[in-house]
Amino acid sequence: MYRYSHIKLIRLAGLIIWLSLSIPLFLQFEQFTAPFTLYLSAHMGFGLVFWAVTHNIGQISFKVKAWLSVLLQIGSILLINYITNSAIGIVYALITSVLLPWFFNIKESLVILLASNLMLAIQFQFIGEVNSNAMVQYVLFFVYLGASAFSFIISLVAFRQQNAKEELRLLNTELKATQVLLADSSRINERLRISRELHDLIGHHLTALTLNLEAASHMTEGKPQTYVKKAHSIARLLLSDVREVVGQFRQSGTLDLGQAVRELLAGLPRLKVSSEIPEEFLVEDPKLAQTILRCTQELITNTMKHAHASHLFVKLFRTDKQVVLEVKDNGVGLGSSHAGNGLTGIKERVKMLSGNVVMTSDDGVHVILTFPV
């Protein structure tokens, strides 16, 4: 059970309850009368709506779908109570109360929960099993109110735990991506330190040694001069090798930006991720690498929190004069909302490196960041 998310477990529990409610429905079947047909239709409609709305729970693109699904479920509950002349719809209503925290904020959820309870309380006055006794109506109403509130709170706790789990997973991927750049930066700094030490210590001493040997070659004759010239040649060759090693150390200061971005995309919750990133995407400028990584991180966070998307596409490539990052999702888009602190921060980061931001919102958000090399 621990392998399954809160969403899957809630969906499984709701389906088990719905299937258990199907048993009395078929036990009392005798023939397809009009009331039985309506009862069956309401029962099947409730199950289909529940199945459809929980298929991508947490990724509903528009609030209209959430409102429509809840209204259809409440309508089915009232219809089942009316046709069966009983309070069996209470059990169905518990399933609806579990879904509310996943669709709406707390205020909206409480309003819907209270309104549905009041509608059921009104209907209890006309149900044959309970309308003859006011005390039974009150007891039934408050029992259901307590049960629905309990279900709502348990689901709210699960919803918050799921969000906390997803945020923790996202922070973990961000940490891994940062570790990749940090490891590369440490390697580069160590290479630069070694190259400076070689240049400042060995290089200077070899230069002085070469000059002294050259002077000595002019002051000696015969066989000693031969050995001096040979030592002078070896010293010059060694100085050339040291300079070559120092040059290679300085030129190898590159960051593996591709690996860092792949770490950032690994294991994102509730998102199907596809990417086009070269196997080895090396960047020499640490500021450029850090800016691209932070912009990617911010775009991923916006997609998870606000886009209600199910798919994310990331592409990283370079041309002769540019490095380009492309991020696209299939969410609700920006609509009429203004750019928040995250998008504003992205524009500021890109502007500091003389880059360009192109952002469209036709079918989801499509962002292209271009950086000059």
Side-chain angles (χ1 to χ4, degrees):
M1 295 293 284
Y2 290 103
R3 295 179 299 170
Y4 298 98
S5 66
H6 296 78
I7 295 174
K8 291 183 178 179
L9 292 175
I10 287 175
R11 189 184 193 198
L12 178 62
L15 289 176
I16 290 174
I17 295 174
W18 180 80
L19 288 173
S20 66
L21 291 171
S22 304
I23 297 175
L25 176 67
F26 290 101
L27 288 177
Q28 65 181 7
F29 171 72
E30 295 180 356
Q31 57 181 348
F32 282 103
T33 59
F36 180 83
T37 303
L38 283 175
Y39 181 16
L40 179 62
S41 300
H43 175 79
M44 296 300 295
F46 185 94
L48 290 174
V49 170
F50 177 81
W51 175 268
V53 80
T54 56
H55 182 66
N56 287 317
I57 193 170
Q59 300 173 358
I60 299 178
S61 299
F62 301 100
K63 270 293 184 66
V64 175
K65 292 183 180 179
W67 280 103
L68 183 61
S69 63
V70 170
L71 291 176
L72 286 174
Q73 287 183 340
I74 294 176
S76 299
I77 293 167
L78 296 175
L79 181 60
I80 290 173
N81 283 343
Y82 172 75
I83 294 172
T84 59
N85 199 28
S86 67
I88 192 174
I90 289 179
V91 184
Y92 291 88
L94 292 177
I95 300 176
T96 303
S97 64
V98 170
L99 295 178
L100 294 180
W102 300 85
F103 294 160
F104 311 103
N105 57 44
I106 295 180
K107 290 183 179 179
E108 293 175 342
S109 299
L110 291 176
V111 169
I112 296 173
L113 194 64
L114 182 60
S116 61
N117 275 272
L118 290 176
M119 284 188 287
L120 285 172
I122 294 172
Q123 192 181 41
F124 288 162
Q125 300 179 12
F126 306 98
I127 293 176
E129 293 182 357
V130 296
N131 66 353
S132 59
N133 192 330
M135 181 60 68
V136 174
Q137 294 179 18
Y138 290 131
V139 171
L140 191 61
F141 169 72
F142 285 110
V143 167
Y144 167 64
L145 180 62
S148 60
F150 177 77
S151 302
F152 171 76
I153 292 172
I154 293 297
S155 182
L156 180 62
V157 171
F159 174 72
R160 291 185 173 179
Q161 286 183 343
Q162 179 77 8
N163 285 347
K165 179 181 177 181
E166 291 177 357
E167 289 180 3
L168 182 62
R169 190 183 303 176
L170 182 60
L171 289 174
N172 187 43
T173 58
E174 293 172 2
L175 179 61
K176 288 183 178 179
T178 304
Q179 284 177 337
V180 171
L181 288 187
L182 183 61
D184 286 344
S185 298
S186 300
R187 175 178 54 82
I188 292 171
N189 291 335
E190 184 65 16
R191 285 176 174 269
L192 288 175
R193 187 189 66 80
I194 294 174
S195 67
R196 292 192 188 101
E197 294 291 333
L198 288 174
H199 179 269
D200 295 341
L201 297 178
I202 300 178
H204 287 169
H205 291 167
L206 285 175
T207 301
L209 178 62
T210 303
L211 293 175
N212 288 328
L213 288 172
E214 185 177 358
S217 66
H218 295 292
M219 299 172 62
T220 55
E221 295 180 356
K223 194 171 183 180
Q225 187 183 42
T226 303
Y227 288 102
V228 170
K229 287 185 177 181
K230 187 174 181 180
H232 179 240
S233 177
I234 294 174
R236 291 181 62 183
L237 181 62
L238 182 58
L239 179 61
S240 176
D241 291 341
V242 169
R243 286 175 177 172
E244 183 179 354
V245 171
V246 170
Q248 290 177 352
F249 269 40
R250 289 184 177 274
Q251 291 177 359
S252 62
T254 55
L255 298 169
D256 193 351
L257 179 60
Q259 179 62 26
V261 175
R262 279 191 292 270
E263 289 288 347
L264 202 60
L265 298 174
L268 291 179
R270 295 190 292 122
L271 274 179
K272 179 182 179 183
V273 180
S274 58
S275 61
E276 292 182 14
I277 302 174
E279 187 66 26
E280 191 176 59
F281 195 93
L282 303 179
V283 176
E284 296 180 359
D285 187 358
K287 286 187 177 180
L288 176 61
Q290 184 179 22
T291 298
I292 292 178
L293 188 66
R294 295 296 172 238
C295 290
T296 307
Q297 174 183 330
E298 184 61 39
L299 291 171
I300 292 173
T301 302
N302 285 345
T303 299
M304 294 183 60
K305 289 186 176 180
H306 309 297
H308 300 293
S310 59
H311 183 262
L312 178 69
F313 172 75
V314 178
K315 183 177 182 180
L316 185 64
F317 63 97
R318 60 161 43 98
T319 62
D320 293 336
K321 299 181 179 180
Q322 294 176 332
V323 173
V324 183
L325 172 68
E326 181 179 356
V327 180
K328 185 177 181 181
D329 63 59
N330 64 341
V332 298
L334 295 176
S336 58
S337 60
H338 301 286
N341 294 329
L343 295 179
T344 302
I346 289 176
K347 293 178 181 179
E348 293 173 350
R349 287 176 182 270
V350 175
K351 187 177 180 181
M352 289 177 62
L353 295 180
S354 302
N356 185 42
V357 179
V358 177
M359 189 176 303
T360 58
S361 181
D362 295 331
D363 185 14
V365 176
H366 187 192
V367 181
I368 299 178
L369 307 181
T370 306
F371 301 89
V373 178

